[in-house]
């Protein structure tokens, strides 16, 4: 079924003006910053959370038979990958004659990757908790950031009819990249979720860059109402989020029972596999939720500025 824009976002944007949507985007960016810090505090600075996160990484060892496939996903992510992604994003914007989108797309590709490196190497640390897990910080995941940033940049520069496809395929590719870092023993679930939060935060900033230069007074422009976006896209992403949340609760409960109600102690193979499964499910749910937010932001920009 097709609706005039995605229905919920369309009704909201018709109701509120540009200034309100700029404030909403700013709040989303702030929540993403808070989310990254919360993930670090719970799963790196907290003994129990760190134990669960490490247990999930150990559980991925039992899935090592898929390592060759995981390497196929991870190996292409490089400087060349970034250059090709930038060329594609800018080319699409130029072909559509959306010059501002070309700049914003380039920012959305580069800024999250730079932010991830600053967070991982400078601002965030892995404190010594006497649990033998000390070492260099790995939060957020650089590979996942690169994959998610590419998908977010494409979501911003393509036309309305292509956004559902980009959103769904982008979410799948980001989940696949995050899962591959688990199998390759490069990252833990918190690293991947933090990476997607960084990209979503920058997506909010990108929407601000597109909306703020427009006049901030007056009602939303009614132009562009002929654009149509598949309504199933946000619904599919939200269903993925909700189903993942339900499954995650089940896995966490099973993990708690598997270790005898004491998180942080000795754990066998069953507990490790449950933690790993929980990490994968959390990744699916988190990515679906954040891509849904990115899609809503991009749809709102298209309504607020009919030239974008």
């Amino acid at each position: 079924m097709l609706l005039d824009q995605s229905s919920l976002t369309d009704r909201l944007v018709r109701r509120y003006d540009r200034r309100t949507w700029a404030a909403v985007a700013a709040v989303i960016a702030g929540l993403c910053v808070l989310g990254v810090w919360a993930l670090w505090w719970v799963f790196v600075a907290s003994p129990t959370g760190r134990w669960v996160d490490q247990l999930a990484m150990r559980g991925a060892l039992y899935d090592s038979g898929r390592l060759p496939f995981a390497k196929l996903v991870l190996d292409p992510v490089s400087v060349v990958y970034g250059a090709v992604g930038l060329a594609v994003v800018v080319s699409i914007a130029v072909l559509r004659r959306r010059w501002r989108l070309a700049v914003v797309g380039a920012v959305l590709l580069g800024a999250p990757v730079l932010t991830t490196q600053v967070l991982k190497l400078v601002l965030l640390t892995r404190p010594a908790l006497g649990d033998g897990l000390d070492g260099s910080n790995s939060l957020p995941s650089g590979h996942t950031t690169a994959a998610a940033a590419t998908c977010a940049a494409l979501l911003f520069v393509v036309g309305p009819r292509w956004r559902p496809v980009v959103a769904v395929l982008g979410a799948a590719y980001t989940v696949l990249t995050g899962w591959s870092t688990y199998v390759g023993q490069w990252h833990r679930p918190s690293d991947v979720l933090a990476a997607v939060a960084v990209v979503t935060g920058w997506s909010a900033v990108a929407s601000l860059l597109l909306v703020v230069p427009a006049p901030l007074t007056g009602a939303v422009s009614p132009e562009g109402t002929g654009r149509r976006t598949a309504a199933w896209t946000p619904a599919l992403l939200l269903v993925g989020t909700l189903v993942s949340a339900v499954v995650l609760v089940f896995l966490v409960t099973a993990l708690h029972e598997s270790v005898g109600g004491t998180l942080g102690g000795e754990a066998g193979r069953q507990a490790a596999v449950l933690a790993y499964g929980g990490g994968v499910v959390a990744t699916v749910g988190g990515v679906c939720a954040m891509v849904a937010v990115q899609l809503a932001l991009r749809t709102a920009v298209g309504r607020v500025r009919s030239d974008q």
Side-chain angles (χ1 to χ4, degrees):
M1 177 180 179
L2 295 176
L3 296 177
D4 177 14
Q5 293 289 320
S6 53
S7 56
L8 177 59
T9 302
D10 188 44
R11 285 196 292 269
L12 287 173
V13 176
R14 285 179 179 176
R15 182 177 177 184
Y16 297 109
D17 62 13
R18 293 176 174 88
R19 189 181 299 277
T20 302
W21 273 105
V24 168
V27 168
I28 290 174
L31 289 174
C32 288
V33 172
L34 182 62
V36 173
W37 177 83
L39 285 165
W40 174 84
W41 186 79
V42 172
F43 292 104
V44 178
S46 163
T48 301
R50 185 148 113 175
W51 176 84
V52 172
D53 217 24
Q54 185 66 27
L55 187 63
M57 190 177 186
R58 180 158 69 87
L61 286 172
Y62 299 109
D63 206 14
S64 59
R66 295 184 174 88
L67 183 58
F69 177 75
K71 286 178 64 63
L72 288 176
V73 176
L74 297 176
D75 287 348
V77 181
S78 62
V79 175
V80 174
Y81 170 95
V84 172
L86 178 62
V88 170
V89 166
V90 172
S91 296
I92 292 174
V94 170
L95 288 172
R96 295 186 63 217
R97 298 182 180 180
R98 301 294 195 265
W99 316 112
R100 191 190 301 273
L101 284 181
V103 176
V104 169
V107 170
L108 196 47
L109 269 175
V113 175
L114 179 60
T115 300
T116 289
Q117 295 307 311
V118 172
L119 287 172
K120 182 160 52 177
L121 302 177
V122 180
L123 298 181
L124 300 179
T125 60
R126 195 167 177 81
L129 300 180
D131 53 4
L133 301 178
D134 308 329
S136 59
N137 178 54
S138 60
L139 184 149
S141 162
H143 277 69
T144 306
T145 300
T150 301
C151 298
L154 286 171
L155 186 63
F156 265 71
V157 300
V158 300
R161 293 183 183 277
W162 286 100
R163 287 174 201 153
V165 177
V166 172
V168 173
L169 294 182
Y173 176 54
T174 302
V175 168
L176 188 61
T177 302
W179 166 79
S180 296
T181 66
Y182 305 155
V183 176
Q185 295 291 289
W186 290 9
H187 287 287
R188 305 164 182 84
S190 62
D191 302 341
V192 169
L193 291 174
V196 182
V198 167
V199 174
T200 304
W202 274 107
S203 295
V205 173
S207 67
L208 281 172
L209 294 175
L210 291 172
V211 172
V212 169
L216 290 178
T217 57
V220 173
S221 168
E223 298 179 29
T225 55
R227 299 172 180 174
R228 305 171 73 85
T229 297
W232 56 264
T233 312
L236 179 63
L237 293 170
L238 291 176
V239 167
T241 302
L242 292 175
V243 171
S244 298
V246 172
V247 176
L248 183 60
V249 170
F250 170 79
L251 290 174
V252 169
T253 302
L255 173 62
H256 191 263
E257 294 176 353
S258 177
V259 296
T262 305
L263 298 178
E266 293 294 326
R269 173 170 180 162
Q270 180 183 16
V273 171
L274 286 171
Y276 168 55
V280 173
V281 170
T283 299
V284 173
V287 169
C288 285
M290 293 187 204
V291 172
V293 171
Q294 295 169 20
L295 181 60
L297 286 167
R298 183 61 187 94
T299 302
V301 169
R303 292 291 301 166
V304 172
R305 289 185 60 94
S306 60
D307 62 332
Q308 300 298 339

